[in-house]
Amino acid sequence: MIPQPIDRILMQVQKPGRYAGGELGSVVKDRSQVRFRFAMCFPDLYEVGMSHLGMKILYALINQREDFWCERVFAPDADMEAQMRSRGLPLYGLESYDPIAGFDIIGFTLQYEMCYTTVLNMLDLAGLPVRAGDRPGLSPLVIAGGPCTCNPEPIADFIDLCVLGEGEEVTLALADLYLQAREAGWDKTAFLRKAAQLDGVYVPSLYQAAYNDDGTVKAVTPAAGAPPTVKKAIIQNLDEVFYPDQFVVPYTSIVHDRAMLEVMRGCARGCRFCQAGFIYRPIREKNWATLDENARQLCAATGYDEVSLTSLSTSDYRQLEPLLEGLLPWSERERVSLSLPSLRVDNFSPQLLEQIKRVRKSGLTFAPEAGSQRLRDAINKNVTEDEVMRTCRTAFEGGYTAIKLYFMMGLPTETMEDIEGIVQLAQKVVDLYYSLPSRPKGKGVSVTASVACFVPKPFTPFQFEPQDTRQQLREKQQRLLTTVRSKKITINYHDAPISLYEAVLARGDRRLGRVVEAVWRAGGNLEGWDEHFSVTRWESAMQAAGLDPAFYANRRRAYDEVMPWDHLDYGISKKFLIHENKRAWQQATTPNCRQHCSGCGANRLIGGGVCD
């Protein structure tokens, strides 16, 4: 039953289903039987957060404990926030409708740097001070996880502790330690010092940053017994780790409304721009039989009629053929479709296409990433133009007429010829279609080139590289558009100003905390959405703080410079990243992990030896 104060305002907002709760599969418990309450916060709208697999896993994992209760919390859109603030209604959990300020731990998942102002806004909506130093009590503790915690320094002033890496085991360990602290009467400082000894737990307040005269980081020094380097948490065996047999099924539409199977973690490829490909190393696979059972359970519990096989590179999953052979008989019988995202150009075969055609009728998506072979070699994409064309031929001969190609703009070593190469490659795909006598009669072809702005990220070989300036990116976007000659080609590209501040925050240090806070106080919230982003707010906040965005985004960094994240250990050695950066400038490729171990260091996280 929705409490009256909330029920009254739901008819005043668009998409009230975002805020109503009560969905199939949501977990409601007796408050009197619960010893620990966790608010699982996603700093974005409901339809984005409800599509995130990591949140689904941790939600079910915590609720598996009878005396633990995890509830979901999402950022309200502007109309709902206005109603909440005008009526004094604090941010609440969707399961109990209780204010989250009364919970034990408030946990944020940080998927995107532009969500930082939303984190502050959600804390404020909850009635809590945004700065960790202004929250002296043990409860509520504010923690963060997700890929952005590989460099959490720009939000270090607001978060009590960060979970680095994979959260299934360390989250429960933290919860148990919290209960021990509460029962023993520890204060917040005592708890944080104990928590800092857990693998994968980083407590920013136990580290002090010092700076050189030129503004670069001089050192990040631990105190109070905190470890000098914090190692990420990692799951050793995916077959043995917890996986949900039930998802919450929303009443309203979301971005990815389907069952999801995580077939593997990590990626063997080593694309030099890809942060996920490095911070989730080493590669680990689930057994196909485990996945088949997971899929059956999820579909039976949720009623979903679509299952997505998710990973960073699904077609690299070595047991894909037996998995599909196991899934297809019952999925076809029960009319459950299968989705295979993240397909690779270099291992897309007619046999795989035949299996995909049985379960997927939409267009196909591939990622050449760059328009020329020289640049693909520099970024270590390890894909040739012949492979791209052969894959598109296979798709066209199999009856497909729509192809989407993903590219990046502003990559290190890029020239205008590489930009023109994006359109030239798309045109070659169009010409290929019309050259095939076996093409579907009476149907035209559609080739979409989606072009994102390159953002240098921590723990990648390109962490040292500058991002193109806004002017450079505008010139490249203009060249891209003027090169198109065919109506069969559609060009989509991302907004450069947002990418600039994504780069600022991705490689930023603690001095940016006051910038994030100033942007939020000036009205910044949900900044990852074009309609909410304001470049003026960010420019004003940077200027007021005496900081230059170009220092963070557009500056090449020396190999011996201390990075703000150098005291965090994701298994990838800085020596390896430097080596790979040098190879990029030589246009030299590095074999993928399954062909040859290149010594990145990640294998020591699972006991040493060569990675699987």
Side-chain angles (χ1 to χ4, degrees):
M1 187 74 175
I2 303 174
Q4 194 174 69
I6 298 173
D7 190 39
R8 283 179 176 173
I9 66 173
L10 291 185
M11 297 307 294
Q12 308 299 316
V13 301
Q14 296 183 23
K15 299 187 178 180
R18 292 167 165 170
Y19 317 108
E23 308 99 320
L24 174 70
S26 60
V27 178
V28 178
K29 297 189 176 185
D30 182 346
R31 295 177 183 83
S32 66
Q33 302 301 310
V34 172
R35 290 196 305 146
F36 172 78
R37 300 188 70 176
F38 191 103
M40 180 68 68
C41 297
F42 197 98
D44 209 325
L45 300 179
Y46 175 94
E47 50 265 42
V48 178
M50 280 293 291
S51 303
H52 184 245
L53 179 58
M55 189 169 185
K56 298 175 189 289
I57 292 173
L58 291 179
Y59 176 83
L61 173 69
I62 297 170
N63 279 320
Q64 198 179 39
R65 294 273 292 263
E66 290 186 6
D67 56 345
F68 286 11
W69 192 5
C70 178
E71 301 190 37
R72 296 161 299 132
V73 187
F74 304 98
D77 209 346
D79 56 348
M80 181 64 172
E81 180 181 347
Q83 292 286 339
M84 293 172 70
R85 290 193 183 277
S86 67
R87 297 168 185 260
L89 181 66
L91 194 62
Y92 57 87
L94 283 182
E95 280 69 22
S96 68
Y97 310 106
D98 291 339
I100 65 169
F103 285 35
D104 296 300
I105 292 182
I106 297 173
F108 288 93
T109 179
L110 306 179
Q111 298 296 312
Y112 180 38
E113 290 84 357
M114 301 311 295
C115 77
Y116 293 166
T117 54
T118 309
V119 171
L120 271 57
N121 199 57
M122 292 176 73
L123 289 173
D124 184 66
L125 271 174
L128 296 169
V130 298
R131 288 186 167 265
D134 295 331
R135 301 189 301 266
L138 179 62
S139 173
L141 196 73
V142 177
I143 73 174
C148 290
T149 56
C150 72
N151 177 28
E153 296 304 281
I155 54 165
D157 292 337
F158 315 113
I159 304 298
D160 293 312
L161 64 82
C162 298
V163 173
L164 312 184
E166 298 165 358
E168 289 97 331
E169 295 172 349
V170 69
T171 300
L172 292 181
L174 270 173
D176 287 330
L177 183 65
Y178 175 90
L179 286 178
Q180 180 184 349
R182 192 176 66 190
E183 291 166 6
W186 299 352
D187 63 13
K188 181 177 177 179
T189 300
F191 169 79
L192 291 176
R193 289 179 177 178
K194 285 280 190 180
Q197 305 306 314
L198 296 174
D199 276 351
V201 174
Y202 171 53
V203 180
S205 61
L206 299 183
Y207 296 78
Q208 296 298 315
Y211 301 91
N212 297 308
D213 291 341
D214 63 358
T216 58
V217 175
K218 183 177 182 179
V220 178
T221 308
T229 303
V230 183
K231 184 172 66 174
K232 78 168 184 178
I234 190 167
I235 300 300
Q236 300 284 331
N237 189 324
L238 288 191
D239 279 322
E240 296 177 358
V241 74
F242 172 85
Y243 198 79
D245 57 11
Q246 167 73 288
F247 286 170
V248 179
V249 182
Y251 292 140
T252 187
S253 62
I254 63 174
V255 177
H256 299 303
D257 197 6
R258 58 201 181 200
M260 288 184 277
L261 291 182
E262 183 187 28
V263 301
M264 63 183 186
R265 287 187 191 174
C267 181
R269 293 292 175 163
C271 300
R272 291 171 178 140
F273 59 85
C274 181
Q275 185 182 59
F278 287 96
I279 66 173
Y280 293 123
R281 287 189 178 195
I283 192 168
R284 288 146 292 151
E285 292 189 345
K286 266 191 178 182
N287 184 273
W288 75 266
T290 302
L291 292 167
D292 183 51
E293 181 62 24
N294 290 157
R296 292 172 186 266
Q297 291 174 339
L298 283 172
C299 290
T302 63
Y304 274 128
D305 60 2
E306 182 179 0
V307 175
S308 174
L309 309 183
T310 64
S311 76
L312 294 175
S313 183
T314 300
S315 54
D316 280 337
Y317 176 60
R318 291 182 297 190
Q319 300 179 60
L320 185 58
E321 186 173 338
L323 173 60
L324 291 174
E325 288 175 354
L327 289 172
L328 285 169
W330 68 263
S331 63
E332 288 184 326
R333 183 175 63 251
E334 299 180 22
R335 298 184 178 180
V336 173
S337 65
L338 303 180
S339 172
L340 284 79
S342 306
L343 297 174
R344 288 280 304 192
V345 168
D346 57 347
N347 57 14
F348 186 81
S349 64
Q351 293 77 19
L352 179 58
L353 179 66
E354 283 304 311
Q355 291 173 313
I356 292 172
K357 285 172 62 178
R358 293 169 62 185
V359 297
R360 176 179 175 173
K361 307 304 180 187
S362 59
L364 294 172
T365 300
F366 302 101
E369 305 294 358
S372 72
Q373 193 59 50
R374 183 203 63 79
L375 187 52
R376 282 193 291 273
D377 289 345
I379 66 176
N380 205 46
K381 185 63 183 177
N382 280 318
V383 166
T384 67
E385 183 174 301
D386 285 345
E387 287 170 329
V388 173
M389 302 306 290
R390 186 165 59 247
T391 292
C392 291
R393 176 186 288 271
T394 298
F396 292 149
E397 290 178 340
Y400 285 82
T401 60
I403 296 287
K404 180 178 284 188
L405 302 175
Y406 281 143
F407 297 92
M408 300 193 78
M409 174 185 294
L411 288 161
T413 81
E414 184 180 76
T415 67
M416 282 298 185
E417 286 72 24
D418 298 313
I419 296 298
E420 294 170 355
I422 292 173
V423 177
Q424 291 165 1
L425 181 59
Q427 185 63 53
K428 288 178 181 179
V429 174
V430 171
D431 295 343
L432 170 67
Y433 176 82
Y434 287 107
S435 74
L436 297 175
S438 59
R439 70 179 185 273
K441 302 303 180 185
K443 291 185 178 181
V445 68
S446 170
V447 178
T448 301
S450 293
V451 187
C453 295
F454 165 70
V455 177
K457 295 282 180 123
F459 296 104
T460 69
F462 288 161
Q463 69 177 16
F464 309 99
E465 298 295 332
Q467 185 185 49
D468 274 1
T469 65
R470 289 169 61 185
Q471 179 61 33
Q472 288 172 318
L473 289 170
R474 279 195 292 265
E475 291 172 358
K476 290 180 178 181
Q477 288 167 349
Q478 188 61 32
R479 179 68 66 90
L480 186 70
L481 295 174
T482 57
T483 306
V484 177
R485 296 288 183 267
S486 171
K487 292 183 179 180
K488 305 297 182 182
I489 298 173
T490 301
I491 301 292
N492 297 325
Y493 59 85
H494 292 187
D495 189 42
I498 292 182
S499 297
L500 168 67
Y501 284 98
E502 180 186 349
V504 168
L505 294 172
R507 297 195 297 174
D509 52 51
R510 293 193 181 192
R511 292 170 296 185
L512 287 171
R514 58 185 184 269
V515 174
V516 173
E517 185 172 358
V519 171
W520 166 67
R521 293 195 182 279
N525 181 38
L526 296 171
E527 293 273 319
W529 295 82
D530 289 345
E531 61 266 36
H532 294 290
F533 176 79
S534 167
V535 68
T536 302
R537 273 196 297 258
W538 285 94
E539 289 173 344
S540 298
M542 292 291 290
Q543 186 175 12
L547 298 173
D548 180 4
F551 174 82
Y552 294 102
N554 310 125
R555 175 177 64 86
R556 184 178 303 281
R557 304 196 179 190
Y559 292 147
D560 61 355
E561 179 176 332
V562 176
M563 303 294 186
W565 55 88
D566 274 353
H567 57 299
L568 308 180
D569 180 5
Y570 273 73
I572 310 299
S573 73
K574 193 171 183 179
K575 180 181 178 181
F576 171 78
L577 296 177
I578 293 170
H579 175 72
E580 281 294 292
N581 181 272
K582 291 177 178 177
R583 288 180 65 80
W585 284 93
Q586 298 163 359
Q587 283 90 57
T589 60
T590 298
N592 75 56
C593 298
R594 285 176 170 164
Q595 293 174 324
H596 175 72
C597 179
S598 300
C600 72
N603 54 356
R604 62 186 168 84
L605 297 173
I606 54 172
V610 176
C611 296
D612 184 20

